[in-house]
Amino acid sequence: MPYPWANVFILIVGGLSLLSGFLGLLGGSPSWGLALDVHRISGFALVALLLWKGQNILRSLMNRRNWRRRPGIVIGSIATLLLLLIALGLGIAWSFSGYFTFQGFSALSWHIYLSLLLGPFVVMHAYKHSWTLRTRFWIERRSFLRLAGLGIAGLAVWRTGELAVAALSLPGKDRRFTGSYERGSFTGNAFPTTSWLNDDPDPVVKDAWRLNVSGLVSRDLDLRLADLTGNREKVTAVLDCTGGWHSTQEWQGVPLREVLVTAGVEPGAGSVTVRSVTGYQRRFSMAEADQYLLATHVGGDPISHGHGAPLRLVAPGKRGYEWVKWVVAVRVNDTGKWWQPPLPLS
């Protein structure tokens, strides 16, 4: 049986694109930009590969013998190809055309959702072609040159596209390194309202609201809103949503470190968990927590319910899903920040 290098390269390059895209969702600081550059290069390398071997791929899919012998595999392959083409098309369109939505979700969100759907198909493809991953195929000079050529092609097309976007002043030139477009900066509560997994609790009754601080501390705290609004600190920070937009605002509130100092963090503390009234929570290292703000105001106005009133976490350098809304609890843990899924599951 001949070595189907094109199919295997789709697996390798597609897997790299999925992995780098996933890593790009984890950080909002420029240090994470390399992962997204790899994502873009591998995406264009996939385009080059599909153009290169597209005719052979389509011939295989339309082969009647394959339909008779393995109809399930053929249908799965067609579904995979369609998902791949739509996901690639949306990603490329987003890079050039600016922010746009479909059925209430941004094109970038659809790009992410469809790419996640590709995961099981990629696994099945890998299982089907596992025999082609033997060492004897990869020690060939031809395999190395083909893979290197795809990488160079992806890099060249990506950079050419970026230069064209800049030269033509297309909307894509204004996107952040994360791919997000600016919306509503310095407008107070007027910037977009979104929540991870569409959390939508009832408005918090401020008079009854309390912030509980517990865990590895000298004393538990049960703070009222008035306890947090006396000495406000201002922080200008970028909220970068994985839905494809970013917004810079001036936030006001109490530094998280001050709350922890008041509670008295005990030796052995490894991380801090910030929890929402919905049960949603994220965990941070002690060093990260020292840099964060528990915000009560944005742009000089009290934070609205949609943005997390009466208290939300401001976590500069993190993506929007880390900026916990409707905060009701802070817990100091004796374990590290990695005792949680990279992306929240609930």
Side-chain angles (χ1 to χ4, degrees):
M1 180 180 288
Y3 171 42
W5 62 269
N7 286 335
V8 176
F9 282 9
I10 289 175
L11 169 65
I12 300 300
V13 178
L16 178 61
S17 182
L18 286 173
L19 176 60
S20 56
F22 173 78
L23 292 175
L25 294 176
L26 301 183
S29 63
S31 60
W32 290 86
L34 177 60
L36 287 167
D37 287 345
V38 172
H39 179 68
R40 293 165 183 129
I41 293 170
S42 57
F44 281 111
L46 267 177
V47 173
L49 179 56
L50 291 173
L51 291 174
W52 191 358
K53 297 298 290 183
Q55 185 176 353
N56 288 348
I57 294 171
L58 290 175
R59 186 183 300 120
S60 175
L61 292 177
M62 299 306 294
N63 188 310
R64 293 183 179 179
R65 185 171 143 188
N66 288 339
W67 276 98
R68 288 194 303 268
R69 295 177 57 189
R70 300 174 295 180
I73 291 178
V74 175
I75 292 173
S77 298
I78 292 175
T80 302
L81 181 60
L82 288 175
L83 285 175
L84 178 60
L85 291 175
I86 295 172
L88 286 171
L90 286 172
I92 293 171
W94 181 266
S95 298
F96 286 84
S97 66
Y99 188 95
F100 66 100
T101 63
F102 177 73
Q103 294 295 313
F105 295 93
S106 71
L108 182 61
S109 293
W110 283 112
H111 171 75
I112 294 171
Y113 301 152
L114 293 177
S115 297
L116 290 175
L117 283 177
L118 279 169
F121 292 101
V122 170
V123 172
M124 288 191 295
H125 186 81
Y127 178 77
K128 175 188 173 185
H129 292 284
S130 59
W131 67 274
T132 62
L133 300 178
R134 297 170 187 168
T135 305
R136 65 189 180 92
F137 292 123
W138 294 99
I139 60 176
E140 292 185 1
R141 182 167 175 266
R142 286 179 303 173
S143 295
F144 172 78
L145 292 176
R146 285 168 175 163
L147 193 57
L150 283 175
I152 293 172
L155 175 62
V157 175
W158 169 54
R159 291 309 305 161
T160 300
E162 293 295 299
L163 292 173
V165 167
L168 298 174
S169 293
L170 298 178
K173 71 182 179 61
D174 296 323
R175 72 189 190 281
R176 200 166 183 248
F177 70 91
T178 57
S180 297
Y181 290 94
E182 189 277 332
R183 298 189 71 195
S185 290
F186 298 107
T187 59
N189 285 298
F191 70 96
T193 301
T194 58
S195 291
W196 186 262
L197 301 180
N198 296 317
D199 277 344
D200 187 23
D202 292 332
V204 175
V205 179
K206 295 183 179 180
D207 290 340
W209 175 90
R210 296 290 186 274
L211 174 66
N212 177 260
V213 183
S214 62
L216 204 62
V217 294
S218 301
R219 62 191 182 102
D220 291 356
L221 301 177
D222 211 30
L223 303 173
R224 299 169 301 168
L225 187 59
D227 298 324
L228 302 173
T229 56
N231 183 24
R232 292 204 302 259
E233 182 173 305
K234 293 182 180 180
V235 171
T236 299
V238 179
L239 173 58
D240 194 322
C241 178
T242 54
W245 58 267
H246 68 88
S247 189
T248 304
Q249 304 294 339
E250 183 181 74
W251 306 88
Q252 294 172 284
V254 59
L256 179 54
R257 65 177 177 275
E258 288 188 11
V259 173
L260 296 176
V261 167
T262 301
V265 176
E266 294 185 346
S271 64
V272 174
T273 297
V274 180
R275 182 169 59 84
S276 169
V277 70
T278 65
Y280 179 90
Q281 60 186 29
R282 295 304 291 164
R283 183 182 288 220
F284 308 95
S285 70
M286 300 305 297
E288 288 172 334
D290 279 347
Q291 307 301 314
Y292 296 163
L293 187 76
L294 294 171
T296 57
H297 290 67
V298 59
D301 296 324
I303 290 177
S304 66
H305 169 65
H307 289 305
L311 193 72
R312 82 170 295 168
L313 183 70
V314 172
K318 297 288 188 180
R319 299 304 291 271
Y321 61 82
E322 305 272 24
W323 293 44
V324 181
K325 294 182 177 182
W326 310 292
V327 176
V328 294
V330 172
R331 182 174 180 83
V332 180
N333 312 296
D334 59 2
T335 51
K337 64 174 284 187
W338 301 112
W339 285 86
Q340 68 177 350
L343 292 175
L345 304 177
S346 61

PDB file of all heavy atoms in Angstrom, residues 71-89:
ATOM      1  N   PRO A  71     -19.016   2.966   3.963  1.00  0.00           N
ATOM      2  CA  PRO A  71     -19.844   4.180   3.869  1.00  0.00           C
ATOM      3  C   PRO A  71     -19.707   5.086   5.086  1.00  0.00           C
ATOM      4  O   PRO A  71     -19.725   6.310   4.958  1.00  0.00           O
ATOM      5  CB  PRO A  71     -21.267   3.626   3.741  1.00  0.00           C
ATOM      6  CG  PRO A  71     -21.206   2.253   4.324  1.00  0.00           C
ATOM      7  CD  PRO A  71     -19.847   1.741   3.970  1.00  0.00           C
ATOM      8  N   GLY A  72     -19.595   4.500   6.282  1.00  0.00           N
ATOM      9  CA  GLY A  72     -19.460   5.313   7.496  1.00  0.00           C
ATOM     10  C   GLY A  72     -18.204   6.152   7.478  1.00  0.00           C
ATOM     11  O   GLY A  72     -18.211   7.331   7.866  1.00  0.00           O
ATOM     12  N   ILE A  73     -17.107   5.562   7.029  1.00  0.00           N
ATOM     13  CA  ILE A  73     -15.834   6.280   6.970  1.00  0.00           C
ATOM     14  C   ILE A  73     -15.899   7.403   5.941  1.00  0.00           C
ATOM     15  O   ILE A  73     -15.395   8.515   6.165  1.00  0.00           O
ATOM     16  CB  ILE A  73     -14.687   5.307   6.645  1.00  0.00           C
ATOM     17  CG1 ILE A  73     -14.459   4.361   7.836  1.00  0.00           C
ATOM     18  CG2 ILE A  73     -13.405   6.075   6.317  1.00  0.00           C
ATOM     19  CD1 ILE A  73     -13.384   3.330   7.594  1.00  0.00           C
ATOM     20  N   VAL A  74     -16.539   7.137   4.797  1.00  0.00           N
ATOM     21  CA  VAL A  74     -16.644   8.156   3.754  1.00  0.00           C
ATOM     22  C   VAL A  74     -17.482   9.337   4.250  1.00  0.00           C
ATOM     23  O   VAL A  74     -17.116  10.508   4.059  1.00  0.00           O
ATOM     24  CB  VAL A  74     -17.253   7.566   2.478  1.00  0.00           C
ATOM     25  CG1 VAL A  74     -17.469   8.670   1.435  1.00  0.00           C
ATOM     26  CG2 VAL A  74     -16.353   6.481   1.907  1.00  0.00           C
ATOM     27  N   ILE A  75     -18.619   9.033   4.897  1.00  0.00           N
ATOM     28  CA  ILE A  75     -19.471  10.105   5.425  1.00  0.00           C
ATOM     29  C   ILE A  75     -18.712  10.914   6.478  1.00  0.00           C
ATOM     30  O   ILE A  75     -18.771  12.152   6.496  1.00  0.00           O
ATOM     31  CB  ILE A  75     -20.768   9.506   6.025  1.00  0.00           C
ATOM     32  CG1 ILE A  75     -21.633   8.919   4.910  1.00  0.00           C
ATOM     33  CG2 ILE A  75     -21.539  10.574   6.796  1.00  0.00           C
ATOM     34  CD1 ILE A  75     -22.839   8.155   5.409  1.00  0.00           C
ATOM     35  N   GLY A  76     -17.980  10.216   7.360  1.00  0.00           N
ATOM     36  CA  GLY A  76     -17.179  10.925   8.361  1.00  0.00           C
ATOM     37  C   GLY A  76     -16.114  11.789   7.724  1.00  0.00           C
ATOM     38  O   GLY A  76     -15.848  12.904   8.189  1.00  0.00           O
ATOM     39  N   SER A  77     -15.517  11.293   6.639  1.00  0.00           N
ATOM     40  CA  SER A  77     -14.483  12.066   5.942  1.00  0.00           C
ATOM     41  C   SER A  77     -15.064  13.315   5.301  1.00  0.00           C
ATOM     42  O   SER A  77     -14.455  14.395   5.342  1.00  0.00           O
ATOM     43  CB  SER A  77     -13.800  11.192   4.881  1.00  0.00           C
ATOM     44  OG  SER A  77     -13.154  10.081   5.469  1.00  0.00           O
ATOM     45  N   ILE A  78     -16.253  13.185   4.708  1.00  0.00           N
ATOM     46  CA  ILE A  78     -16.901  14.347   4.091  1.00  0.00           C
ATOM     47  C   ILE A  78     -17.255  15.384   5.150  1.00  0.00           C
ATOM     48  O   ILE A  78     -17.046  16.590   4.972  1.00  0.00           O
ATOM     49  CB  ILE A  78     -18.158  13.917   3.312  1.00  0.00           C
ATOM     50  CG1 ILE A  78     -17.751  13.087   2.085  1.00  0.00           C
ATOM     51  CG2 ILE A  78     -18.974  15.131   2.888  1.00  0.00           C
ATOM     52  CD1 ILE A  78     -18.918  12.505   1.323  1.00  0.00           C
ATOM     53  N   ALA A  79     -17.801  14.900   6.288  1.00  0.00           N
ATOM     54  CA  ALA A  79     -18.144  15.823   7.376  1.00  0.00           C
ATOM     55  C   ALA A  79     -16.902  16.535   7.890  1.00  0.00           C
ATOM     56  O   ALA A  79     -16.922  17.745   8.151  1.00  0.00           O
ATOM     57  CB  ALA A  79     -18.822  15.059   8.515  1.00  0.00           C
ATOM     58  N   THR A  80     -15.808  15.784   8.015  1.00  0.00           N
ATOM     59  CA  THR A  80     -14.550  16.384   8.471  1.00  0.00           C
ATOM     60  C   THR A  80     -14.071  17.445   7.503  1.00  0.00           C
ATOM     61  O   THR A  80     -13.658  18.538   7.906  1.00  0.00           O
ATOM     62  CB  THR A  80     -13.468  15.303   8.627  1.00  0.00           C
ATOM     63  OG1 THR A  80     -13.916  14.314   9.552  1.00  0.00           O
ATOM     64  CG2 THR A  80     -12.169  15.907   9.145  1.00  0.00           C
ATOM     65  N   LEU A  81     -14.126  17.131   6.201  1.00  0.00           N
ATOM     66  CA  LEU A  81     -13.663  18.079   5.187  1.00  0.00           C
ATOM     67  C   LEU A  81     -14.518  19.347   5.196  1.00  0.00           C
ATOM     68  O   LEU A  81     -13.986  20.461   5.132  1.00  0.00           O
ATOM     69  CB  LEU A  81     -13.702  17.428   3.808  1.00  0.00           C
ATOM     70  CG  LEU A  81     -13.216  18.284   2.635  1.00  0.00           C
ATOM     71  CD1 LEU A  81     -11.769  18.705   2.838  1.00  0.00           C
ATOM     72  CD2 LEU A  81     -13.374  17.531   1.315  1.00  0.00           C
ATOM     73  N   LEU A  82     -15.839  19.194   5.310  1.00  0.00           N
ATOM     74  CA  LEU A  82     -16.718  20.365   5.337  1.00  0.00           C
ATOM     75  C   LEU A  82     -16.454  21.228   6.571  1.00  0.00           C
ATOM     76  O   LEU A  82     -16.367  22.462   6.475  1.00  0.00           O
ATOM     77  CB  LEU A  82     -18.181  19.921   5.312  1.00  0.00           C
ATOM     78  CG  LEU A  82     -18.696  19.358   3.980  1.00  0.00           C
ATOM     79  CD1 LEU A  82     -20.123  18.852   4.139  1.00  0.00           C
ATOM     80  CD2 LEU A  82     -18.602  20.405   2.875  1.00  0.00           C
ATOM     81  N   LEU A  83     -16.345  20.580   7.738  1.00  0.00           N
ATOM     82  CA  LEU A  83     -16.046  21.334   8.956  1.00  0.00           C
ATOM     83  C   LEU A  83     -14.721  22.073   8.825  1.00  0.00           C
ATOM     84  O   LEU A  83     -14.591  23.232   9.234  1.00  0.00           O
ATOM     85  CB  LEU A  83     -16.001  20.397  10.160  1.00  0.00           C
ATOM     86  CG  LEU A  83     -17.336  19.891  10.711  1.00  0.00           C
ATOM     87  CD1 LEU A  83     -17.090  18.868  11.821  1.00  0.00           C
ATOM     88  CD2 LEU A  83     -18.169  21.043  11.248  1.00  0.00           C
ATOM     89  N   LEU A  84     -13.730  21.379   8.249  1.00  0.00           N
ATOM     90  CA  LEU A  84     -12.411  21.986   8.085  1.00  0.00           C
ATOM     91  C   LEU A  84     -12.466  23.190   7.165  1.00  0.00           C
ATOM     92  O   LEU A  84     -11.917  24.256   7.476  1.00  0.00           O
ATOM     93  CB  LEU A  84     -11.439  20.939   7.541  1.00  0.00           C
ATOM     94  CG  LEU A  84     -10.006  21.401   7.254  1.00  0.00           C
ATOM     95  CD1 LEU A  84      -9.351  21.931   8.523  1.00  0.00           C
ATOM     96  CD2 LEU A  84      -9.189  20.261   6.660  1.00  0.00           C
ATOM     97  N   LEU A  85     -13.156  23.052   6.034  1.00  0.00           N
ATOM     98  CA  LEU A  85     -13.221  24.156   5.080  1.00  0.00           C
ATOM     99  C   LEU A  85     -13.964  25.355   5.661  1.00  0.00           C
ATOM    100  O   LEU A  85     -13.539  26.510   5.490  1.00  0.00           O
ATOM    101  CB  LEU A  85     -13.909  23.682   3.802  1.00  0.00           C
ATOM    102  CG  LEU A  85     -13.134  22.678   2.941  1.00  0.00           C
ATOM    103  CD1 LEU A  85     -13.992  22.203   1.777  1.00  0.00           C
ATOM    104  CD2 LEU A  85     -11.830  23.280   2.435  1.00  0.00           C
ATOM    105  N   ILE A  86     -15.081  25.101   6.370  1.00  0.00           N
ATOM    106  CA  ILE A  86     -15.843  26.212   6.956  1.00  0.00           C
ATOM    107  C   ILE A  86     -15.032  26.887   8.059  1.00  0.00           C
ATOM    108  O   ILE A  86     -14.986  28.125   8.145  1.00  0.00           O
ATOM    109  CB  ILE A  86     -17.191  25.707   7.500  1.00  0.00           C
ATOM    110  CG1 ILE A  86     -18.066  25.194   6.353  1.00  0.00           C
ATOM    111  CG2 ILE A  86     -17.920  26.827   8.236  1.00  0.00           C
ATOM    112  CD1 ILE A  86     -19.325  24.496   6.816  1.00  0.00           C
ATOM    113  N   ALA A  87     -14.384  26.080   8.919  1.00  0.00           N
ATOM    114  CA  ALA A  87     -13.587  26.652  10.008  1.00  0.00           C
ATOM    115  C   ALA A  87     -12.435  27.487   9.450  1.00  0.00           C
ATOM    116  O   ALA A  87     -12.171  28.599   9.924  1.00  0.00           O
ATOM    117  CB  ALA A  87     -13.052  25.538  10.908  1.00  0.00           C
ATOM    118  N   LEU A  88     -11.746  26.971   8.432  1.00  0.00           N
ATOM    119  CA  LEU A  88     -10.658  27.724   7.820  1.00  0.00           C
ATOM    120  C   LEU A  88     -11.180  29.005   7.176  1.00  0.00           C
ATOM    121  O   LEU A  88     -10.580  30.080   7.319  1.00  0.00           O
ATOM    122  CB  LEU A  88      -9.945  26.863   6.773  1.00  0.00           C
ATOM    123  CG  LEU A  88      -9.032  25.747   7.287  1.00  0.00           C
ATOM    124  CD1 LEU A  88      -8.576  24.864   6.135  1.00  0.00           C
ATOM    125  CD2 LEU A  88      -7.826  26.322   8.018  1.00  0.00           C
ATOM    126  N   GLY A  89     -12.299  28.892   6.464  1.00  0.00           N
ATOM    127  CA  GLY A  89     -12.858  30.067   5.803  1.00  0.00           C
ATOM    128  C   GLY A  89     -13.252  31.152   6.776  1.00  0.00           C
ATOM    129  O   GLY A  89     -12.990  32.345   6.542  1.00  0.00           O
TER     130      GLY A  89
END
